[in-house]
Amino acid sequence: MGSLVKKGLNNYVKQLQEHPLRTKVITAGVVSAISDVVSQKLSGIQKLQLKRLLLKVLFGAGYIGPFGHFFHLILDKIFKGKRDTKTVAKKVLIEQCTSSPWNNLLFMIYYGLVVEGQPWVNVKAKVRKDYPSVQYTAWTISPVVGWINHKFLPLHFRVVFHSVAAFFWSIYLNLRARSLALTKA
């Protein structure tokens, strides 16, 4: 079993190196799928909502994977691949001021409009109400994820690491949305 896992990981790393964008897109889609299945089950949903699952996979594969791939490439070009403490701090600061707020805002809008099928007026009201606390919570967690990512991981693993962190973040957001819905009921 150990050699099978090792062989699988070696093949995965090879795919990351030979086909980085494609591999990150597929990985982000798969991680989004697993995250949504877990979120649905923890939220008490009895029957798996396939449409929701596919729409979350689409967001992961169509946006998160490619965005992360190019975002990390650009950061590495700007900072010439450096990983000293001062450079990592700058990368994390840029990430927290740009991609973190943007990604959370875009996800909330996508989730409301596309996944839940809510009208724009409802989505806009929900974003106005919930976005500040969602982003504040993100800023308490994601700088640590960013620091680990930029300080210790090679470029080709950064989107994968972020996808795993996003797995847990997505579960948090789904459970938070569920608890808010239960509170209103």
Side-chain angles (χ1 to χ4, degrees):
M1 178 71 173
S3 65
L4 184 63
V5 171
K6 186 176 180 180
K7 186 177 179 181
L9 284 174
N10 286 338
N11 284 335
Y12 182 75
V13 170
K14 183 180 177 191
Q15 289 300 310
L16 271 174
Q17 292 168 337
E18 292 177 3
H19 308 285
L21 180 58
R22 178 180 72 191
T23 306
K24 291 170 193 171
V25 164
I26 293 168
T27 301
V30 168
V31 171
S32 292
I34 296 167
S35 172
D36 193 56
V37 168
V38 171
S39 293
Q40 286 190 44
K41 292 304 169 191
L42 289 175
S43 297
I45 296 171
Q46 298 300 314
K47 187 174 185 232
L48 195 63
Q49 297 174 355
L50 290 177
K51 179 182 176 188
R52 170 186 150 155
L53 175 67
L54 292 173
L55 290 171
K56 295 282 285 292
V57 168
L58 181 63
F59 187 80
Y63 172 72
I64 296 296
F67 177 86
H69 172 78
F70 291 110
F71 182 78
H72 288 287
L73 278 176
I74 290 167
L75 276 183
D76 248 34
K77 284 186 183 189
I78 291 170
F79 294 104
K80 299 172 179 55
K82 293 180 187 173
R83 286 200 247 184
D84 61 277
T85 301
K86 189 175 178 181
T87 303
V88 170
K90 289 176 185 176
K91 287 180 179 181
V92 170
L93 183 63
I94 289 170
E95 187 174 66
Q96 296 312 303
C97 292
T98 59
S99 76
S100 175
W102 170 252
N103 287 343
N104 286 321
L105 179 64
L106 189 63
F107 178 79
M108 289 179 76
I109 293 169
Y110 177 83
Y111 193 84
L113 287 175
V114 178
V115 177
E116 292 182 334
Q118 294 288 322
W120 170 246
V121 68
N122 292 6
V123 173
K124 189 168 124 181
K126 183 158 178 58
V127 168
R128 267 204 183 116
K129 180 181 174 280
D130 293 343
Y131 177 75
S133 64
V134 166
Q135 189 55 47
Y136 178 77
T137 304
W139 279 331
T140 63
I141 299 165
S142 59
V144 174
V145 172
W147 187 272
I148 292 167
N149 212 9
H150 294 293
K151 183 73 175 173
F152 301 109
L153 295 173
L155 180 61
H156 61 278
F157 281 124
R158 291 186 192 148
V159 174
V160 176
F161 183 72
H162 254 132
S163 291
V164 172
F167 167 86
F168 294 104
W169 180 245
S170 179
I171 291 171
Y172 162 77
L173 289 177
N174 279 285
L175 291 176
R176 185 172 185 275
R178 173 75 174 158
S179 70
L180 290 173
L182 289 175
T183 305
K184 291 177 185 173

